[in-house]
């Protein structure tokens, strides 16, 4: 690594490994607690293992990376020659990851700017990519942060879940909202707003909900240059079909990523998740 501004994110960005390697992005893993075992996302627990645990109704929780892990990561990056670090993380409303990074940054051997992007999944990933591109062009820490924040401000994320129960259990959505969805037997559409997961619409059937998700994403994308990510959990056919339809509906589409979310997000959404991230360039 040459002397430059390095980009750090966390495992919930769900960036493809090749993309991270190409741009020199480092991801610090969150932890999934399965029974009495704490497992690092991305290396020690697969989405298949998570799906099996959810199907068997085994207790699954998640936890942030430790400040010590962040400190070690920053130290290793500095030793590799970086003169500054931009550390971009999922919403502080959803996780303590940002706080852990802030604690570690105080003791780092090079300047570290820690940013709460208010995002998650590829909404966070696109922010990290924008910061990396700015750094690759010779940008300063401030310029890389500005690029990430600008990307975050324009990015939208929408989700379909089969049930709100997992989000309720994890405290990511209010119990009253989850109960209302269950009582009416509706399929909920959600959005990321203000760093929180918020109800967007209630639709009567899964097929209608997914059609509505597609419509919302296409309308949000418009005709300007845009990147899109389609996420899923144990629903590859649904995700692939949705991505194909968006390819035909979005005239300004630049890059389209289709990927299964990792165990951390999956633990809070349950099986059948389908999400779309719309990120104008």
């Amino acid at each position: 690594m040459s002397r430059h501004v390095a980009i750090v994110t966390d495992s919930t960005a769900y960036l493809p490994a090749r993309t991270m390697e190409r741009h020199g992005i480092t991801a610090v893993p969150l932890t999934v607690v399965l029974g009495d075992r704490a497992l690092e996302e991305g290396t020690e627990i697969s989405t298949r293992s998570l799906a099996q645990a959810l199907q068997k109704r085994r207790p699954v929780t998640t936890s942030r990376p430790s400040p010590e892990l962040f400190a070690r990561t920053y130290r290793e990056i500095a030793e590799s020659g970086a003169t500054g670090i931009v550390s971009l993380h999922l919403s502080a409303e959803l996780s303590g990851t940002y706080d852990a990074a802030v604690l570690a940054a105080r003791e780092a051997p090079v300047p570290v700017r820690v940013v709460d992007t208010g995002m998650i999944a590829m909404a966070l990933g696109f922010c990290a990519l924008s910061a990396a591109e700015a750094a690759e062009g010779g940008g300063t820490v401030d310029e890389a942060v500005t690029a990430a924040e600008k990307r975050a401000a324009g990015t939208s994320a929408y989700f379909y879940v089969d049930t709100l129960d997992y989000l309720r259990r994890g405290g990511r959505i209010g119990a009253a909202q989850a109960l209302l969805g269950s009582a009416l037997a509706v399929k909920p559409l959600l959005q990321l707003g203000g760093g929180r997961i918020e109800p967007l619409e209630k639709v009567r059937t899964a097929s209608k909900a997914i059609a509505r998700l597609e419509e919302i994403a296409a309308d949000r994308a418009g005709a300007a240059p845009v990147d899109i990510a389609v996420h899923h959990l144990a629903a590859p056919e649904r995700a692939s079909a949705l991505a194909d339809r968006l390819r035909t509906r979005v005239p300004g589409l630049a890059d389209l990523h289709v990927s299964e979310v990792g165990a951390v997000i999956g633990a809070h959404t349950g099986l059948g998740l389908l999400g779309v991230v719309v990120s104008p360039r």
Side-chain angles (χ1 to χ4, degrees), residues 210 230 232-245 258 274:
I210 293 169
V230 176
H232 71 93
L233 180 61
E237 295 85 2
R238 277 181 176 177
S240 179
L242 176 57
D244 288 342
R245 294 194 298 271
V258 181
L274 200 59

Side-chain angles (χ1 to χ4, degrees), residues 71-243:
R72 184 165 68 249
T73 300
Y74 297 152
R75 187 168 58 251
E76 290 172 353
I77 289 173
E79 290 170 354
S80 296
T83 55
I85 299 170
V86 176
S87 201
L88 303 156
H89 300 291
L90 79 160
S91 172
E93 295 285 347
L94 302 175
S95 169
T97 301
Y98 168 81
D99 294 330
V102 168
L103 287 173
R106 295 172 183 166
E107 307 299 326
V110 296
V112 179
R113 284 281 299 279
V114 183
V115 180
D116 171 13
T117 65
M119 300 283 110
I120 198 167
M122 273 299 294
L124 168 58
F126 286 132
C127 294
L129 283 174
S130 288
E133 289 165 358
E136 288 163 4
T140 64
V141 165
D142 286 344
E143 289 168 338
V145 169
T146 297
E149 291 178 338
K150 183 178 180 181
R151 193 72 183 261
T155 295
S156 302
Y158 308 101
F159 309 93
Y160 160 82
V161 291
D162 279 331
T163 174
L164 291 172
D165 195 42
Y166 293 98
L167 287 163
R168 177 193 59 78
R169 288 183 210 169
R172 268 62 181 186
I173 198 166
Q177 295 168 336
L179 180 62
L180 179 62
S182 299
L184 296 178
V186 298
K187 295 299 183 181
L189 292 179
L190 309 167
Q191 66 180 343
L192 199 58
R196 295 176 178 270
I197 297 173
E198 301 175 339
L200 179 60
E201 295 183 7
K202 301 181 182 71
V203 186
R204 281 292 179 181
T205 67
S207 60
K208 289 181 179 179
I210 293 169
R212 181 61 181 143
L213 178 66
E214 174 190 338
E215 183 178 358
I216 291 168
D219 288 347
R220 175 67 183 86
V226 65
D227 295 326
I228 290 178
V230 176
H231 289 303
H232 71 93
L233 180 61
E237 295 85 2
R238 277 181 176 177
S240 179
L242 176 57

Side-chain angles (χ1 to χ4, degrees), residues 20-90:
M20 291 178 58
E21 184 177 354
R22 184 167 65 249
H23 293 282
I25 299 170
T26 301
V28 176
L30 274 74
T31 299
V32 177
V33 182
L34 193 59
D36 59 355
R37 300 175 62 204
L39 306 167
E40 286 189 354
E41 182 176 44
T43 57
E44 296 180 340
I45 181 170
S46 66
T47 50
R48 176 175 294 184
S49 297
L50 172 75
Q52 291 172 345
L54 294 177
Q55 288 167 346
K56 295 176 180 177
R57 297 188 177 277
R58 294 177 61 190
V60 182
T61 58
T62 60
S63 65
R64 70 180 191 178
S66 68
E68 292 76 18
L69 179 55
F70 272 113
R72 184 165 68 249
T73 300
Y74 297 152
R75 187 168 58 251
E76 290 172 353
I77 289 173
E79 290 170 354
S80 296
T83 55
I85 299 170
V86 176
S87 201
L88 303 156
H89 300 291
L90 79 160

